[in-house]
Amino acid sequence: MVGISEKEKKLLEAALKSMDNAYVLWGFKVGAAVLAEDGKIYGGCNVESWVSGLGTCAERCAIDHAVLHGNRKIRELALVMELKGNNNPVPCGACLQYIYGFAENSKIKILMAKEKDGKILFETVKVKTLEELLPYPFRK
Ligand SMILES: [Zn+2]
């Protein structure tokens, strides 16, 4: 496990809690949490749809949640994914681009972990910067 602070552990725990509300029809549960510019944590979960392409990822749900409360920037994001097969907890390309649009800067940390039996598997925690995951973002 990589070294994470108590604050980051709290962010991961918030993502885990948000995962409980995931609306899953065919995939797997994902929870996310962002530390927003107001210093508060906002959670989000994936919401699937039977119509392909209409569902929402947990990361975008968490960002939208922060925006709903007046935030325009996020400082950090945590993602927890239900352990299922070989799935790998990492934001999808669309989410990375979305995160980029709200990130305080390209160095914000993205914490990623797997979950099993309601607990975060801390040995699976990975920490990357947004820039590492999305070195060439689309910008206008
Ligand atoms: Zn996504």
Side-chain angles (χ1 to χ4, degrees), residues 11 14 18 32-45 56-78 98-99 101-104 108:
L11 196 61
S18 298
V34 295
L35 175 64
E37 61 183 326
D38 65 0
K40 292 182 185 161
I41 290 173
Y42 297 92
C45 61
T56 305
C57 296
E59 300 92 312
R60 280 180 277 158
C61 181
I63 289 171
D64 291 351
H65 186 186
V67 169
L68 175 69
H69 289 270
N71 292 282
R72 293 294 178 265
K73 291 287 170 205
I74 62 160
R75 298 176 181 162
E76 199 161 2
L77 182 143
Y98 200 71
I99 294 165
F102 292 94
E104 214 163 48
I108 69 160

Side-chain angles (χ1 to χ4, degrees), residues 11-12 14-16 18-19 22-23 28-36 41-48 55-68 73-82 87-103 108-113 130 133:
L11 196 61
L12 280 163
L16 176 71
S18 298
M19 205 185 81
Y23 183 70
F28 40 81
K29 290 179 169 188
V30 185
V34 295
L35 175 64
I41 290 173
Y42 297 92
C45 61
N46 59 327
V47 182
E48 294 184 346
T56 305
C57 296
E59 300 92 312
R60 280 180 277 158
C61 181
I63 289 171
D64 291 351
H65 186 186
V67 169
L68 175 69
K73 291 287 170 205
I74 62 160
R75 298 176 181 162
E76 199 161 2
L77 182 143
L79 165 69
V80 175
M81 193 179 279
E82 173 188 23
N87 64 353
N88 190 28
V90 64
C92 73
C95 281
L96 287 171
Q97 184 65 46
Y98 200 71
I99 294 165
Y100 177 79
F102 292 94
I108 69 160
K109 283 191 207 167
I110 298 183
L111 307 142
M112 302 159 283
L130 176 59
L133 296 174

